[in-house]
Amino acid sequence: MGGSKSTQQKDQIEDKPWRNFDWGEKEALQRHLENFSERKPDVNVRILVTGQIGAGKSSFINSVNSAFQGKIVCEALVDATVGTSSSFTQRFQTYRICNKNGELPFVFGDIMGLESPSLSGLQVDDVISTILGHVTENCKFQAGKTLTSEDDNYNKNPTVSDQSFCLVYIIAADTVTLADKVLFEKLRLIRHRISDQGIPQVIVMTKVDEACPLVKKDLRKIYTSTKIKKLVDFCSAEVGVPKTCIFPVKTYHDEINTNPDVDVLILKALDQIVDSAARRFQKGFYTLK
Ligand SMILES: Nc1nc2c(ncn2[C@@H]2O[C@H](COP(=O)(O)OP(=O)(O)OP(=O)(O)O)[C@@H](O)[C@H]2O)c(=O)[nH]1
Ligand SMILES: [Mg+2]
C-alpha cells in the first residue's frame, strides 16, 4: 500500500521544477509594481479579464487587491454557487487596484463569463467592443444579443484610457479539460482578432488547489506538479498562448487572511500582465477591423 502511494506521488511530481520560481520575491514584486508610476508617469493600465463562467475572474481581481493590501478584499462580487451555468457578473465593471496608501495605476475590467453554447453569454464581438473601449461602465450584456453602436451603453468615441492593453483569460485548472470546445473556439477567435494589433494575452489558471491534491496541501508544489504542468501545456495548445504567458495561481476564496505564497503567485502574474500592457500602451490608440 505504502509503496503504491509513493509511486503515485512520484508520478505526480517532477524531479526538477518545470519553471523556476522565486518564492521569496513577493516584496520585490510588490515594490516594483507600486513604483510603476515613477517609471511611467502618465500610464494608466487597463486590463480586461474574460474566460469561463465561474472560473474565478472576480476572485482574481479581488486577490490582486488583497495581495497589495495585506487583507482579504471582496470588492468584485464572487458567486459561491457550485456548478452554475450562467455568469454571476452580468455587467461590465471596472476595479481600480489599490495598495494601503491609495490607488495604483492599474484598472481591471470584469465582464461576464463566456458561456459555452454559442448563442448565450458574452460573445466574441462583445469582448472585442470592450477591449476597444466601446462599452461603458455598468453596461449589462444580454444573452444572445451583441452590443451595437445603436445601444445606449455603446461609447462611439472611446479615448485611449477607455481601451484595454492586455487581455487576460481566466481558466479554471480543475475543469479546463472538460470545457466545451466552443469556449476554446471563442478564445481563439478573440486571439485572432486582436493579435494583429499586438494586444498581449495572458492566461491566469485558477483553482490549482482543486486540480491537484498535492498543490492543495502545499502550494509550493505548483511548479513541480506534473498535473499542473500538463494543464498548462493543454491550455497553451488549445488557446495558442505561449506557455511563458500562462500563470497558474490559487485565488483567495475561503480564507480570512492573506498568505505570502498565494500573494507571490498573484503578483508575478500581475507583473507580467502590467509589463506587456504597458509596452502596448506606449504604441497608443488602436482600432480593429
Ligand atoms: N478552490 C478554489 N476556488 C476558487 C478559486 N478561485 C475562485 N474560486 C471559487 O470559484 C467560484 C467562482 O468564482 P468567481 O470569482 O465568482 O468566478 P467568475 O469567473 O467571476 O464567475 P462569473 O462572474 O459568474 O462568470 C467561487 O466560489 C470562488 O470562491 C481558486 O483558486 N481555488
Ligand atoms: Mg465574476
Side-chain angles (χ1 to χ4, degrees):
M1 281 293 276
S4 85
K5 193 176 174 199
S6 72
T7 317
Q8 234 178 30
Q9 290 208 349
K10 196 165 177 297
D11 281 349
Q12 296 168 356
I13 291 287
E14 306 281 301
D15 290 336
K16 275 198 202 146
W18 49 271
R19 181 179 289 172
N20 289 327
F21 191 76
D22 181 356
W23 292 94
E25 207 188 359
K26 185 201 152 180
E27 315 298 334
L29 279 170
Q30 186 166 345
R31 260 198 318 276
H32 185 249
L33 284 158
E34 286 172 341
N35 293 339
F36 179 88
S37 290
E38 285 168 27
R39 298 192 304 277
K40 299 188 190 295
D42 300 320
V43 181
N44 225 338
V45 177
R46 190 184 272 229
I47 300 145
L48 186 66
V49 298
T50 188
Q52 286 167 297
I53 292 167
K57 297 179 290 299
S58 305
S59 301
F60 176 67
I61 297 170
N62 286 334
S63 298
V64 170
N65 264 322
S66 303
F68 277 113
Q69 293 176 37
K71 62 175 186 191
I72 302 295
V73 177
C74 301
E75 199 191 344
L77 286 180
V78 168
D79 185 19
T81 323
V82 178
T84 179
S85 64
S86 68
S87 203
F88 182 67
T89 304
Q90 300 268 346
R91 291 174 189 276
F92 171 60
Q93 282 190 310
T94 59
Y95 296 92
R96 167 74 66 166
I97 302 304
C98 297
N99 66 3
K100 285 178 182 157
N101 301 321
E103 294 186 341
L104 295 171
F106 315 131
V107 179
F108 272 97
D110 184 11
I111 47 174
M112 205 172 147
L114 291 162
E115 284 174 277
S116 300
S118 51
L119 284 176
S120 60
L122 193 72
Q123 296 303 294
V124 170
D125 286 339
D126 287 332
V127 177
I128 301 292
S129 296
T130 316
I131 294 174
L132 291 173
H134 290 303
V135 177
T136 54
E137 175 109 32
N138 276 323
C139 167
K140 194 170 191 302
F141 294 102
Q142 288 174 33
K145 190 185 171 300
T146 301
L147 198 74
T148 69
S149 55
E150 306 306 312
D151 288 295
D152 289 347
N153 287 310
Y154 194 92
N155 175 6
K156 287 187 183 144
N157 299 305
T159 63
V160 73
S161 59
D162 294 321
Q163 297 200 315
S164 298
F165 290 90
C166 183
L167 181 65
V168 177
Y169 302 118
I170 307 282
I171 294 183
D174 61 336
T175 52
V176 64
T177 52
L178 307 171
D180 197 304
K181 293 289 168 201
V182 176
L183 171 79
F184 294 120
E185 183 60 21
K186 283 187 184 178
L187 295 182
R188 276 195 302 269
L189 270 172
I190 296 168
R191 181 171 169 70
H192 186 72
R193 295 267 300 272
I194 66 176
S195 286
D196 282 352
Q197 281 292 343
I199 299 162
Q201 297 129 55
V202 168
I203 294 180
V204 171
M205 189 195 275
T206 55
K207 307 196 188 181
V208 289
D209 52 322
E210 294 296 325
C212 176
L214 294 171
V215 175
K216 185 172 197 152
K217 254 204 231 150
D218 177 4
L219 191 57
R220 291 198 177 198
K221 296 247 166 33
I222 197 165
Y223 287 122
T224 43
S225 160
T226 307
K227 182 109 193 253
I228 302 299
K229 177 179 184 290
K230 284 186 177 158
L231 289 169
V232 167
D233 293 349
F234 177 83
C235 278
S236 175
E238 290 290 340
V239 188
V241 169
K243 285 177 219 170
T244 49
C245 296
I246 303 182
F247 294 86
V249 301
K250 188 184 99 69
T251 70
Y252 291 114
H253 61 286
D254 61 0
E255 303 64 5
I256 52 168
N257 294 310
T258 57
N259 165 313
D261 290 346
V262 174
D263 286 349
V264 70
L265 288 168
I266 297 276
L267 292 175
K268 187 73 189 175
L270 181 69
D271 192 47
Q272 166 79 27
I273 292 166
V274 164
D275 195 53
S276 46
R279 266 184 274 127
R280 179 62 193 81
F281 183 91
Q282 302 296 11
K283 294 184 189 155
F285 193 83
Y286 57 90
T287 48
L288 299 175
K289 278 175 253 131

